[in-house]
Amino acid sequence: MRQPVRAGTLLVALRQTASERAPYIRDVIVALLIVAAFFLAWSNGANDNFKGVATLWGSRTATYRRALVWATTTTALGSLVSVARAGALVGRFSGKGVIDDGLIDSSMLAAIGGAAAITIFLATLLEMPTSTTHALTGTLVGAGWVPAGASALI
């Protein structure tokens, strides 16, 4: 039975054989995937959150703080509705066929999410127009192209 990961475990894992290290490496990759997903969601929110209520603030209908509360509340509610209603769509529109299925694993997904998050974050910092959909599509295509060449793009 596999033991839980504790502080200092990574140093122990480096001294082990490849087959003994596999569970630890998988845990690190899954953790990176989760961090990438949260960073992408945060970057997207930092870029898009206020757009929907900018007219409330611009027209002085609401104070900045009240408009920000509206933006945050409606974004959170929209996220909950999306999770509840879009479960079937995730399976239908999973990107299947864009990259050869043999190439997709947790490390590639972490790289795709991380690259898209960094793209959105930097575009937001540089005050450039950006699209999360375009960032995800570009990193998905790039991640398929790099390891397998253009033949991986179906």
Side-chain angles (χ1 to χ4, degrees):
M1 186 169 150
R2 203 170 109 207
Q3 296 179 0
V5 178
R6 290 187 287 277
T9 307
L10 187 58
L11 294 175
V12 172
L14 293 175
R15 293 188 210 123
Q16 296 173 333
T17 64
S19 62
E20 292 172 329
R21 270 194 309 252
Y24 298 112
I25 292 172
R26 185 176 52 245
D27 290 344
V28 169
I29 290 172
V30 169
L32 287 174
L33 178 58
I34 291 168
V35 167
F38 277 107
F39 185 41
L40 179 59
W42 180 82
S43 297
N44 187 37
N47 183 272
D48 288 340
N49 192 30
F50 202 74
K51 290 178 186 176
V53 296
T55 53
L56 291 176
W57 179 62
S59 65
R60 301 192 196 282
T61 303
T63 64
Y64 180 77
R65 173 159 272 165
R66 181 161 293 199
L68 188 59
V69 168
W70 266 104
T72 303
T73 303
T74 55
T75 299
L77 290 174
S79 299
L80 294 174
V81 170
S82 294
V83 168
R85 305 244 333 149
L89 291 176
V90 171
R92 216 182 269 161
F93 300 109
S94 63
K96 190 171 183 75
V98 176
I99 297 178
D100 182 16
D101 291 343
L103 295 174
I104 298 174
D105 63 359
S106 298
S107 60
M108 179 174 275
L109 294 176
I112 290 168
I118 290 168
T119 301
I120 299 299
F121 181 72
L122 289 176
T124 301
L125 281 179
L126 297 171
E127 298 179 3
M128 297 173 65
T130 185
S131 163
T132 304
T133 303
H134 292 132
L136 282 169
T137 303
T139 56
L140 184 65
V141 170
W145 202 344
V146 169
S151 64
L153 300 176
I154 298 171

